Amino acid sequence: MGRSSLFKNYIGTDFNTQHWLSLDPCGLICVSFSYSLHIFSLFASGFTLISNHLVAQLLYGILYVPFSTLSLWSLYKASTTNPGAVPMGARPLPSNISSENSSIQTERDYNNGGLRRRRGIRRCRKCNDNYKPSRAHHDSVTGRCIVKMDHYCPWVGNAVGIMNHKVSQTRRSRVCLCMLGELFCYLWGWFVATDCYSLQ
């Protein structure tokens, strides 16, 4: 989809936007599904599946609700945090200029049909010849060069880079803790329910 913005550059991934949000339709659908799945499991398990068991509800309130709330917050932060996009007009730091000038880069030479080696500062053709730092990659979904880009995650709806990698990793661990807490509450409620029915 590339760079885009809404509401006069208020949200989006363009160079001049105030708040970061990837407007990729597939990513927005997947993020909406992630939010709805979290919220549905939060309310469905609490109000229907373990509603008759006091101990299971206490464990649910102590274990599952905090981790689920933190997981929702991490999902929000991971999807709305700038992943480390290179701003327009960026320049290398003075200490990095000498190392980047001495680095040899290989390009395709379309005139001669081979490879050509050149020295100099890396530029991204897709970002209007903007400076491209080392270990930066162009993300075709957001349309920006991302420093230390890991991948584009559709479930977060954002690229994972240097600025939101920690948030993305903590989101994964919190989702795992949510699943374990909910499984524990379900098993507790099931064991209590089977013991109650076997006594009658």
Side-chain angles (χ1 to χ4, degrees):
M1 175 159 178
R3 292 185 296 273
S4 58
S5 64
L6 287 176
F7 308 119
K8 296 182 181 178
N9 289 333
Y10 186 71
I11 59 171
T13 59
D14 202 9
F15 285 108
N16 300 322
T17 54
Q18 295 175 11
H19 301 284
W20 183 274
L21 180 67
S22 178
L23 300 174
D24 176 45
C26 177
L28 290 175
I29 290 169
C30 289
V31 166
S32 300
F33 181 71
S34 295
Y35 278 120
S36 60
L37 191 64
H38 276 291
I39 292 169
F40 173 76
S41 65
L42 183 65
F43 287 108
S45 58
F47 291 120
T48 59
L49 298 175
I50 58 171
S51 61
N52 298 330
H53 309 291
L54 181 63
V55 176
Q57 285 180 344
L58 287 173
L59 290 174
Y60 171 79
I62 293 170
L63 292 177
Y64 183 70
V65 172
F67 287 122
S68 181
T69 307
L70 288 172
S71 179
L72 282 168
W73 178 251
S74 295
L75 178 61
Y76 170 75
K77 290 302 285 181
S79 62
T80 59
T81 301
N82 184 341
V86 179
M88 184 59 129
R91 295 184 179 157
L93 296 173
S95 62
N96 292 344
I97 290 177
S98 61
S99 65
E100 290 201 18
N101 283 336
S102 65
S103 65
I104 298 174
Q105 299 172 3
T106 305
E107 294 184 334
R108 290 189 181 259
D109 188 5
Y110 294 105
N111 296 332
N112 298 331
L115 295 176
R116 179 176 61 153
R117 298 171 81 159
R118 71 175 185 95
R119 295 175 187 249
I121 297 174
R122 292 176 47 196
R123 302 261 179 210
C124 179
R125 293 183 200 141
K126 297 176 184 175
C127 291
N128 303 329
D129 276 341
N130 197 24
Y131 169 66
K132 186 176 181 181
S134 61
R135 298 181 68 186
H137 300 284
H138 185 82
D139 180 28
S140 61
V141 179
T142 59
R144 301 282 299 271
C145 284
I146 309 295
V147 179
K148 289 180 76 175
M149 181 180 162
D150 192 349
H151 65 285
Y152 178 82
C153 182
W155 301 109
V156 171
N158 199 0
V160 177
I162 192 169
M163 300 296 281
N164 65 350
H165 192 268
K166 180 180 177 182
V167 176
S168 180
Q169 294 298 328
T170 56
R171 182 191 152 271
R172 288 181 192 160
S173 63
R174 288 174 179 165
V175 167
C176 289
L177 288 172
C178 282
M179 291 179 356
L180 289 174
E182 192 166 11
L183 180 66
F184 186 72
C185 290
Y186 286 152
L187 291 176
W188 183 272
W190 183 71
F191 284 130
V192 169
T194 54
D195 287 338
C196 290
Y197 290 125
S198 65
L199 293 175
Q200 292 177 354

PDB file of all heavy atoms in Angstrom, residues 92-123:
ATOM      1  N   PRO A  92      23.570  11.096   7.883  1.00  0.00           N
ATOM      2  CA  PRO A  92      24.370  10.281   8.807  1.00  0.00           C
ATOM      3  C   PRO A  92      25.050  11.145   9.858  1.00  0.00           C
ATOM      4  O   PRO A  92      25.304  12.330   9.648  1.00  0.00           O
ATOM      5  CB  PRO A  92      25.397   9.607   7.891  1.00  0.00           C
ATOM      6  CG  PRO A  92      25.441  10.447   6.676  1.00  0.00           C
ATOM      7  CD  PRO A  92      24.102  11.093   6.531  1.00  0.00           C
ATOM      8  N   LEU A  93      25.287  10.552  10.999  1.00  0.00           N
ATOM      9  CA  LEU A  93      26.017  11.240  12.059  1.00  0.00           C
ATOM     10  C   LEU A  93      27.454  11.480  11.605  1.00  0.00           C
ATOM     11  O   LEU A  93      28.010  10.693  10.830  1.00  0.00           O
ATOM     12  CB  LEU A  93      26.004  10.404  13.335  1.00  0.00           C
ATOM     13  CG  LEU A  93      24.629  10.176  13.962  1.00  0.00           C
ATOM     14  CD1 LEU A  93      24.736   9.193  15.111  1.00  0.00           C
ATOM     15  CD2 LEU A  93      24.033  11.484  14.437  1.00  0.00           C
ATOM     16  N   PRO A  94      28.083  12.539  12.068  1.00  0.00           N
ATOM     17  CA  PRO A  94      29.459  12.814  11.624  1.00  0.00           C
ATOM     18  C   PRO A  94      30.423  11.668  11.912  1.00  0.00           C
ATOM     19  O   PRO A  94      31.345  11.433  11.143  1.00  0.00           O
ATOM     20  CB  PRO A  94      29.847  14.067  12.418  1.00  0.00           C
ATOM     21  CG  PRO A  94      28.563  14.718  12.750  1.00  0.00           C
ATOM     22  CD  PRO A  94      27.555  13.612  12.899  1.00  0.00           C
ATOM     23  N   SER A  95      30.210  10.943  12.992  1.00  0.00           N
ATOM     24  CA  SER A  95      31.108   9.824  13.290  1.00  0.00           C
ATOM     25  C   SER A  95      30.891   8.656  12.335  1.00  0.00           C
ATOM     26  O   SER A  95      31.784   7.845  12.139  1.00  0.00           O
ATOM     27  CB  SER A  95      30.910   9.361  14.730  1.00  0.00           C
ATOM     28  OG  SER A  95      29.578   8.907  14.903  1.00  0.00           O
ATOM     29  N   ASN A  96      29.702   8.560  11.734  1.00  0.00           N
ATOM     30  CA  ASN A  96      29.405   7.454  10.825  1.00  0.00           C
ATOM     31  C   ASN A  96      29.722   7.769   9.368  1.00  0.00           C
ATOM     32  O   ASN A  96      29.735   6.880   8.542  1.00  0.00           O
ATOM     33  CB  ASN A  96      27.930   7.075  10.919  1.00  0.00           C
ATOM     34  CG  ASN A  96      27.581   6.470  12.250  1.00  0.00           C
ATOM     35  OD1 ASN A  96      28.460   6.060  12.992  1.00  0.00           O
ATOM     36  ND2 ASN A  96      26.305   6.432  12.559  1.00  0.00           N
ATOM     37  N   ILE A  97      29.991   9.026   9.046  1.00  0.00           N
ATOM     38  CA  ILE A  97      30.241   9.386   7.645  1.00  0.00           C
ATOM     39  C   ILE A  97      31.494   8.707   7.126  1.00  0.00           C
ATOM     40  O   ILE A  97      31.515   8.165   6.032  1.00  0.00           O
ATOM     41  CB  ILE A  97      30.338  10.913   7.488  1.00  0.00           C
ATOM     42  CG1 ILE A  97      28.959  11.535   7.704  1.00  0.00           C
ATOM     43  CG2 ILE A  97      30.871  11.295   6.115  1.00  0.00           C
ATOM     44  CD1 ILE A  97      28.956  13.038   7.640  1.00  0.00           C
ATOM     45  N   SER A  98      32.563   8.711   7.922  1.00  0.00           N
ATOM     46  CA  SER A  98      33.812   8.108   7.450  1.00  0.00           C
ATOM     47  C   SER A  98      33.661   6.606   7.267  1.00  0.00           C
ATOM     48  O   SER A  98      34.177   6.042   6.304  1.00  0.00           O
ATOM     49  CB  SER A  98      34.946   8.408   8.428  1.00  0.00           C
ATOM     50  OG  SER A  98      34.640   7.855   9.693  1.00  0.00           O
ATOM     51  N   SER A  99      32.928   5.944   8.160  1.00  0.00           N
ATOM     52  CA  SER A  99      32.761   4.498   8.011  1.00  0.00           C
ATOM     53  C   SER A  99      31.847   4.172   6.838  1.00  0.00           C
ATOM     54  O   SER A  99      32.049   3.180   6.154  1.00  0.00           O
ATOM     55  CB  SER A  99      32.218   3.887   9.297  1.00  0.00           C
ATOM     56  OG  SER A  99      30.915   4.364   9.551  1.00  0.00           O
ATOM     57  N   GLU A 100      30.843   5.016   6.580  1.00  0.00           N
ATOM     58  CA  GLU A 100      29.955   4.743   5.455  1.00  0.00           C
ATOM     59  C   GLU A 100      30.613   5.095   4.136  1.00  0.00           C
ATOM     60  O   GLU A 100      30.331   4.464   3.117  1.00  0.00           O
ATOM     61  CB  GLU A 100      28.636   5.494   5.627  1.00  0.00           C
ATOM     62  CG  GLU A 100      27.815   4.924   6.744  1.00  0.00           C
ATOM     63  CD  GLU A 100      26.353   5.272   6.626  1.00  0.00           C
ATOM     64  OE1 GLU A 100      25.919   5.663   5.540  1.00  0.00           O
ATOM     65  OE2 GLU A 100      25.663   5.134   7.635  1.00  0.00           O
ATOM     66  N   ASN A 101      31.475   6.098   4.111  1.00  0.00           N
ATOM     67  CA  ASN A 101      32.180   6.427   2.879  1.00  0.00           C
ATOM     68  C   ASN A 101      33.185   5.359   2.511  1.00  0.00           C
ATOM     69  O   ASN A 101      33.467   5.142   1.338  1.00  0.00           O
ATOM     70  CB  ASN A 101      32.880   7.781   3.005  1.00  0.00           C
ATOM     71  CG  ASN A 101      31.896   8.919   2.862  1.00  0.00           C
ATOM     72  OD1 ASN A 101      30.843   8.752   2.251  1.00  0.00           O
ATOM     73  ND2 ASN A 101      32.245  10.065   3.420  1.00  0.00           N
ATOM     74  N   SER A 102      33.757   4.701   3.525  1.00  0.00           N
ATOM     75  CA  SER A 102      34.744   3.672   3.236  1.00  0.00           C
ATOM     76  C   SER A 102      34.105   2.323   2.926  1.00  0.00           C
ATOM     77  O   SER A 102      34.771   1.431   2.444  1.00  0.00           O
ATOM     78  CB  SER A 102      35.704   3.521   4.412  1.00  0.00           C
ATOM     79  OG  SER A 102      34.994   3.053   5.544  1.00  0.00           O
ATOM     80  N   SER A 103      32.815   2.189   3.186  1.00  0.00           N
ATOM     81  CA  SER A 103      32.166   0.912   2.901  1.00  0.00           C
ATOM     82  C   SER A 103      31.921   0.780   1.405  1.00  0.00           C
ATOM     83  O   SER A 103      31.595   1.734   0.722  1.00  0.00           O
ATOM     84  CB  SER A 103      30.840   0.804   3.650  1.00  0.00           C
ATOM     85  OG  SER A 103      29.938   1.768   3.177  1.00  0.00           O
ATOM     86  N   ILE A 104      32.105  -0.412   0.913  1.00  0.00           N
ATOM     87  CA  ILE A 104      31.934  -0.681  -0.515  1.00  0.00           C
ATOM     88  C   ILE A 104      30.573  -1.312  -0.702  1.00  0.00           C
ATOM     89  O   ILE A 104      30.216  -2.275  -0.037  1.00  0.00           O
ATOM     90  CB  ILE A 104      33.049  -1.614  -1.034  1.00  0.00           C
ATOM     91  CG1 ILE A 104      34.403  -0.937  -0.852  1.00  0.00           C
ATOM     92  CG2 ILE A 104      32.792  -1.972  -2.478  1.00  0.00           C
ATOM     93  CD1 ILE A 104      35.554  -1.818  -1.197  1.00  0.00           C
ATOM     94  N   GLN A 105      29.804  -0.763  -1.630  1.00  0.00           N
ATOM     95  CA  GLN A 105      28.466  -1.273  -1.912  1.00  0.00           C
ATOM     96  C   GLN A 105      28.436  -1.797  -3.336  1.00  0.00           C
ATOM     97  O   GLN A 105      29.069  -1.252  -4.234  1.00  0.00           O
ATOM     98  CB  GLN A 105      27.424  -0.179  -1.733  1.00  0.00           C
ATOM     99  CG  GLN A 105      27.401   0.352  -0.322  1.00  0.00           C
ATOM    100  CD  GLN A 105      26.509   1.567  -0.215  1.00  0.00           C
ATOM    101  OE1 GLN A 105      25.882   1.971  -1.166  1.00  0.00           O
ATOM    102  NE2 GLN A 105      26.459   2.144   0.964  1.00  0.00           N
ATOM    103  N   THR A 106      27.660  -2.844  -3.531  1.00  0.00           N
ATOM    104  CA  THR A 106      27.546  -3.454  -4.851  1.00  0.00           C
ATOM    105  C   THR A 106      26.163  -3.175  -5.407  1.00  0.00           C
ATOM    106  O   THR A 106      25.174  -3.356  -4.713  1.00  0.00           O
ATOM    107  CB  THR A 106      27.769  -4.980  -4.746  1.00  0.00           C
ATOM    108  OG1 THR A 106      29.023  -5.202  -4.116  1.00  0.00           O
ATOM    109  CG2 THR A 106      27.762  -5.610  -6.110  1.00  0.00           C
ATOM    110  N   GLU A 107      26.112  -2.706  -6.656  1.00  0.00           N
ATOM    111  CA  GLU A 107      24.851  -2.422  -7.332  1.00  0.00           C
ATOM    112  C   GLU A 107      24.855  -3.103  -8.685  1.00  0.00           C
ATOM    113  O   GLU A 107      25.900  -3.424  -9.239  1.00  0.00           O
ATOM    114  CB  GLU A 107      24.682  -0.926  -7.597  1.00  0.00           C
ATOM    115  CG  GLU A 107      24.546  -0.057  -6.434  1.00  0.00           C
ATOM    116  CD  GLU A 107      24.293   1.381  -6.876  1.00  0.00           C
ATOM    117  OE1 GLU A 107      24.699   1.756  -7.993  1.00  0.00           O
ATOM    118  OE2 GLU A 107      23.678   2.103  -6.098  1.00  0.00           O
ATOM    119  N   ARG A 108      23.673  -3.241  -9.250  1.00  0.00           N
ATOM    120  CA  ARG A 108      23.577  -3.742 -10.618  1.00  0.00           C
ATOM    121  C   ARG A 108      23.861  -2.602 -11.584  1.00  0.00           C
ATOM    122  O   ARG A 108      23.340  -1.511 -11.434  1.00  0.00           O
ATOM    123  CB  ARG A 108      22.200  -4.293 -10.897  1.00  0.00           C
ATOM    124  CG  ARG A 108      21.939  -5.572 -10.170  1.00  0.00           C
ATOM    125  CD  ARG A 108      20.645  -6.172 -10.671  1.00  0.00           C
ATOM    126  NE  ARG A 108      20.414  -7.383  -9.952  1.00  0.00           N
ATOM    127  CZ  ARG A 108      20.664  -8.593 -10.439  1.00  0.00           C
ATOM    128  NH1 ARG A 108      21.088  -8.725 -11.648  1.00  0.00           N
ATOM    129  NH2 ARG A 108      20.466  -9.664  -9.712  1.00  0.00           N
ATOM    130  N   ASP A 109      24.663  -2.894 -12.542  1.00  0.00           N
ATOM    131  CA  ASP A 109      24.946  -1.928 -13.594  1.00  0.00           C
ATOM    132  C   ASP A 109      24.127  -2.352 -14.805  1.00  0.00           C
ATOM    133  O   ASP A 109      24.462  -3.312 -15.492  1.00  0.00           O
ATOM    134  CB  ASP A 109      26.443  -1.923 -13.903  1.00  0.00           C
ATOM    135  CG  ASP A 109      26.826  -0.812 -14.856  1.00  0.00           C
ATOM    136  OD1 ASP A 109      25.938   0.000 -15.191  1.00  0.00           O
ATOM    137  OD2 ASP A 109      27.997  -0.758 -15.255  1.00  0.00           O
ATOM    138  N   TYR A 110      23.042  -1.645 -15.051  1.00  0.00           N
ATOM    139  CA  TYR A 110      22.126  -2.045 -16.119  1.00  0.00           C
ATOM    140  C   TYR A 110      22.700  -1.767 -17.512  1.00  0.00           C
ATOM    141  O   TYR A 110      22.292  -2.392 -18.489  1.00  0.00           O
ATOM    142  CB  TYR A 110      20.784  -1.326 -15.948  1.00  0.00           C
ATOM    143  CG  TYR A 110      20.059  -1.767 -14.707  1.00  0.00           C
ATOM    144  CD1 TYR A 110      20.006  -0.952 -13.582  1.00  0.00           C
ATOM    145  CD2 TYR A 110      19.460  -3.016 -14.649  1.00  0.00           C
ATOM    146  CE1 TYR A 110      19.350  -1.363 -12.438  1.00  0.00           C
ATOM    147  CE2 TYR A 110      18.809  -3.443 -13.502  1.00  0.00           C
ATOM    148  CZ  TYR A 110      18.751  -2.600 -12.397  1.00  0.00           C
ATOM    149  OH  TYR A 110      18.108  -3.023 -11.273  1.00  0.00           O
ATOM    150  N   ASN A 111      23.636  -0.853 -17.597  1.00  0.00           N
ATOM    151  CA  ASN A 111      24.233  -0.548 -18.908  1.00  0.00           C
ATOM    152  C   ASN A 111      25.146  -1.664 -19.376  1.00  0.00           C
ATOM    153  O   ASN A 111      25.140  -2.050 -20.542  1.00  0.00           O
ATOM    154  CB  ASN A 111      25.006   0.768 -18.855  1.00  0.00           C
ATOM    155  CG  ASN A 111      24.078   1.935 -18.557  1.00  0.00           C
ATOM    156  OD1 ASN A 111      22.902   1.884 -18.890  1.00  0.00           O
ATOM    157  ND2 ASN A 111      24.615   2.966 -17.918  1.00  0.00           N
ATOM    158  N   ASN A 112      25.965  -2.187 -18.473  1.00  0.00           N
ATOM    159  CA  ASN A 112      26.933  -3.225 -18.830  1.00  0.00           C
ATOM    160  C   ASN A 112      26.438  -4.623 -18.510  1.00  0.00           C
ATOM    161  O   ASN A 112      27.100  -5.593 -18.859  1.00  0.00           O
ATOM    162  CB  ASN A 112      28.256  -2.979 -18.115  1.00  0.00           C
ATOM    163  CG  ASN A 112      28.876  -1.664 -18.527  1.00  0.00           C
ATOM    164  OD1 ASN A 112      28.665  -1.204 -19.648  1.00  0.00           O
ATOM    165  ND2 ASN A 112      29.618  -1.040 -17.621  1.00  0.00           N
ATOM    166  N   GLY A 113      25.327  -4.755 -17.804  1.00  0.00           N
ATOM    167  CA  GLY A 113      24.772  -6.066 -17.504  1.00  0.00           C
ATOM    168  C   GLY A 113      25.481  -6.804 -16.386  1.00  0.00           C
ATOM    169  O   GLY A 113      25.351  -8.011 -16.274  1.00  0.00           O
ATOM    170  N   GLY A 114      26.224  -6.144 -15.564  1.00  0.00           N
ATOM    171  CA  GLY A 114      26.942  -6.804 -14.482  1.00  0.00           C
ATOM    172  C   GLY A 114      26.736  -6.093 -13.168  1.00  0.00           C
ATOM    173  O   GLY A 114      25.758  -5.386 -12.959  1.00  0.00           O
ATOM    174  N   LEU A 115      27.687  -6.298 -12.279  1.00  0.00           N
ATOM    175  CA  LEU A 115      27.647  -5.645 -10.979  1.00  0.00           C
ATOM    176  C   LEU A 115      28.676  -4.529 -10.933  1.00  0.00           C
ATOM    177  O   LEU A 115      29.750  -4.623 -11.547  1.00  0.00           O
ATOM    178  CB  LEU A 115      27.915  -6.656  -9.863  1.00  0.00           C
ATOM    179  CG  LEU A 115      26.872  -7.755  -9.699  1.00  0.00           C
ATOM    180  CD1 LEU A 115      27.319  -8.731  -8.625  1.00  0.00           C
ATOM    181  CD2 LEU A 115      25.533  -7.168  -9.338  1.00  0.00           C
ATOM    182  N   ARG A 116      28.353  -3.481 -10.219  1.00  0.00           N
ATOM    183  CA  ARG A 116      29.246  -2.338 -10.094  1.00  0.00           C
ATOM    184  C   ARG A 116      29.437  -2.062  -8.606  1.00  0.00           C
ATOM    185  O   ARG A 116      28.477  -2.101  -7.836  1.00  0.00           O
ATOM    186  CB  ARG A 116      28.629  -1.131 -10.775  1.00  0.00           C
ATOM    187  CG  ARG A 116      29.463   0.102 -10.674  1.00  0.00           C
ATOM    188  CD  ARG A 116      28.847   1.223 -11.440  1.00  0.00           C
ATOM    189  NE  ARG A 116      27.531   1.525 -10.875  1.00  0.00           N
ATOM    190  CZ  ARG A 116      26.951   2.701 -10.930  1.00  0.00           C
ATOM    191  NH1 ARG A 116      27.548   3.681 -11.540  1.00  0.00           N
ATOM    192  NH2 ARG A 116      25.772   2.899 -10.410  1.00  0.00           N
ATOM    193  N   ARG A 117      30.653  -1.797  -8.228  1.00  0.00           N
ATOM    194  CA  ARG A 117      30.937  -1.481  -6.839  1.00  0.00           C
ATOM    195  C   ARG A 117      31.095   0.023  -6.710  1.00  0.00           C
ATOM    196  O   ARG A 117      31.744   0.653  -7.531  1.00  0.00           O
ATOM    197  CB  ARG A 117      32.202  -2.189  -6.390  1.00  0.00           C
ATOM    198  CG  ARG A 117      32.059  -3.690  -6.463  1.00  0.00           C
ATOM    199  CD  ARG A 117      33.354  -4.362  -6.238  1.00  0.00           C
ATOM    200  NE  ARG A 117      33.582  -4.400  -4.811  1.00  0.00           N
ATOM    201  CZ  ARG A 117      34.397  -5.234  -4.196  1.00  0.00           C
ATOM    202  NH1 ARG A 117      35.067  -6.083  -4.879  1.00  0.00           N
ATOM    203  NH2 ARG A 117      34.542  -5.221  -2.920  1.00  0.00           N
ATOM    204  N   ARG A 118      30.483   0.571  -5.678  1.00  0.00           N
ATOM    205  CA  ARG A 118      30.612   2.008  -5.461  1.00  0.00           C
ATOM    206  C   ARG A 118      30.757   2.282  -3.975  1.00  0.00           C
ATOM    207  O   ARG A 118      30.353   1.498  -3.141  1.00  0.00           O
ATOM    208  CB  ARG A 118      29.435   2.778  -6.041  1.00  0.00           C
ATOM    209  CG  ARG A 118      28.145   2.601  -5.312  1.00  0.00           C
ATOM    210  CD  ARG A 118      27.081   3.506  -5.903  1.00  0.00           C
ATOM    211  NE  ARG A 118      25.880   3.416  -5.108  1.00  0.00           N
ATOM    212  CZ  ARG A 118      25.552   4.248  -4.134  1.00  0.00           C
ATOM    213  NH1 ARG A 118      26.328   5.251  -3.837  1.00  0.00           N
ATOM    214  NH2 ARG A 118      24.446   4.092  -3.440  1.00  0.00           N
ATOM    215  N   ARG A 119      31.314   3.416  -3.695  1.00  0.00           N
ATOM    216  CA  ARG A 119      31.463   3.855  -2.318  1.00  0.00           C
ATOM    217  C   ARG A 119      30.549   5.044  -2.098  1.00  0.00           C
ATOM    218  O   ARG A 119      30.257   5.791  -3.009  1.00  0.00           O
ATOM    219  CB  ARG A 119      32.899   4.269  -2.039  1.00  0.00           C
ATOM    220  CG  ARG A 119      33.862   3.126  -2.131  1.00  0.00           C
ATOM    221  CD  ARG A 119      35.268   3.651  -1.953  1.00  0.00           C
ATOM    222  NE  ARG A 119      36.207   2.591  -2.202  1.00  0.00           N
ATOM    223  CZ  ARG A 119      36.954   2.046  -1.276  1.00  0.00           C
ATOM    224  NH1 ARG A 119      36.870   2.455  -0.054  1.00  0.00           N
ATOM    225  NH2 ARG A 119      37.791   1.087  -1.570  1.00  0.00           N
ATOM    226  N   GLY A 120      30.080   5.174  -0.854  1.00  0.00           N
ATOM    227  CA  GLY A 120      29.275   6.345  -0.560  1.00  0.00           C
ATOM    228  C   GLY A 120      28.149   6.032   0.396  1.00  0.00           C
ATOM    229  O   GLY A 120      28.053   4.952   0.973  1.00  0.00           O
ATOM    230  N   ILE A 121      27.296   7.011   0.534  1.00  0.00           N
ATOM    231  CA  ILE A 121      26.182   6.927   1.463  1.00  0.00           C
ATOM    232  C   ILE A 121      25.026   6.221   0.775  1.00  0.00           C
ATOM    233  O   ILE A 121      24.696   6.530  -0.372  1.00  0.00           O
ATOM    234  CB  ILE A 121      25.787   8.341   1.923  1.00  0.00           C
ATOM    235  CG1 ILE A 121      26.964   8.958   2.687  1.00  0.00           C
ATOM    236  CG2 ILE A 121      24.553   8.303   2.785  1.00  0.00           C
ATOM    237  CD1 ILE A 121      26.745  10.404   3.054  1.00  0.00           C
ATOM    238  N   ARG A 122      24.412   5.284   1.473  1.00  0.00           N
ATOM    239  CA  ARG A 122      23.286   4.536   0.908  1.00  0.00           C
ATOM    240  C   ARG A 122      22.052   5.423   0.833  1.00  0.00           C
ATOM    241  O   ARG A 122      21.762   6.189   1.739  1.00  0.00           O
ATOM    242  CB  ARG A 122      22.974   3.322   1.771  1.00  0.00           C
ATOM    243  CG  ARG A 122      24.035   2.272   1.737  1.00  0.00           C
ATOM    244  CD  ARG A 122      23.743   1.129   2.678  1.00  0.00           C
ATOM    245  NE  ARG A 122      22.377   0.663   2.567  1.00  0.00           N
ATOM    246  CZ  ARG A 122      21.786  -0.102   3.461  1.00  0.00           C
ATOM    247  NH1 ARG A 122      22.435  -0.463   4.539  1.00  0.00           N
ATOM    248  NH2 ARG A 122      20.558  -0.508   3.299  1.00  0.00           N
ATOM    249  N   ARG A 123      21.321   5.265  -0.243  1.00  0.00           N
ATOM    250  CA  ARG A 123      20.074   5.996  -0.454  1.00  0.00           C
ATOM    251  C   ARG A 123      18.991   5.003  -0.838  1.00  0.00           C
ATOM    252  O   ARG A 123      19.258   3.977  -1.438  1.00  0.00           O
ATOM    253  CB  ARG A 123      20.223   7.021  -1.575  1.00  0.00           C
ATOM    254  CG  ARG A 123      21.307   8.022  -1.346  1.00  0.00           C
ATOM    255  CD  ARG A 123      20.727   9.276  -0.827  1.00  0.00           C
ATOM    256  NE  ARG A 123      21.758  10.264  -0.569  1.00  0.00           N
ATOM    257  CZ  ARG A 123      21.644  11.158   0.350  1.00  0.00           C
ATOM    258  NH1 ARG A 123      20.571  11.224   1.081  1.00  0.00           N
ATOM    259  NH2 ARG A 123      22.595  12.024   0.563  1.00  0.00           N
TER     260      ARG A 123
END
